[in-house]
Amino acid sequence: AVADGVAGWWDAGIDSGVYSRQLLTRVKEAALDSVLGETADASSPQERGGAVKRVDPMLLLDKAWAKVKKQDEVKGSCTVCVVTLDRDTSTLRAANLGDSGFMVMRIISSEARSMGLRSLVPDKYPINSSVGEHRRASKPRMKFPTRCEIVYRSPPMEHALGHPYQLGHHENTDQTSMSDKVEVDVVPGDWVVLGTDGLFDNLGEDAIAAHILEAHLAMQKTWQSARASATGAART
């Protein structure tokens, strides 16, 4: 989860950073209660070790904000984005309010592209995706650079330019029910980037994708070196 305090409260002597941190603390508590509560209530060791039911980000946000609203000393407002991952169904779920948000990035390997495989990007999330080209597998294999593609990017929610949707202590606050509720199909190896408008306003999509690709290639190189070392040790 990520939250961003609205700076406009500075004029009233309020640090909205306190509000955003409190909200995230309550989101974490709600998530732990949801997960640990299920395993603690299980009637058998098999159930306690089994799959945990999906955690609804909307429910986490509702519980968290309900607690923050009871803290009269916590004032201000913030944008917020809560994301959960259901490993059983490979589904990412999100509740997003305001101009914070998230991106799902997918690495398309040079090998996969040279074999003429279609993009794994679902058709219902075509945002900024340019890897849908198809090459027949019967053609000679060609080398293509490994690239990072955007599977999905959450749209910012604003009442007007510079006025994002937000949760706060004030009477005219927006409500959690206004959140954008999203489900995205993901695959192993996908990257999920959560950020505030500070990230998305200062780094374009291409720059973020370049950073993810750089990190992926570095991890891949480290893994290959470790595998080579392990293979060498096994042979000695």
Side-chain angles (χ1 to χ4, degrees), residues 25-35 55 59-61 63-64 67:
T25 296
R26 300 306 183 184
V27 168
K28 178 181 178 181
E29 291 174 353
L32 289 174
D33 287 344
S34 178
V35 174
V55 179
L59 181 61
L60 299 183
L61 185 56
K63 289 182 176 180
K67 290 184 177 180

Side-chain angles (χ1 to χ4, degrees), residues 204-217:
E205 294 177 349
D206 290 343
I208 295 174
H211 282 293
I212 295 298
L213 180 57
E214 181 180 5
H216 167 80
L217 294 176

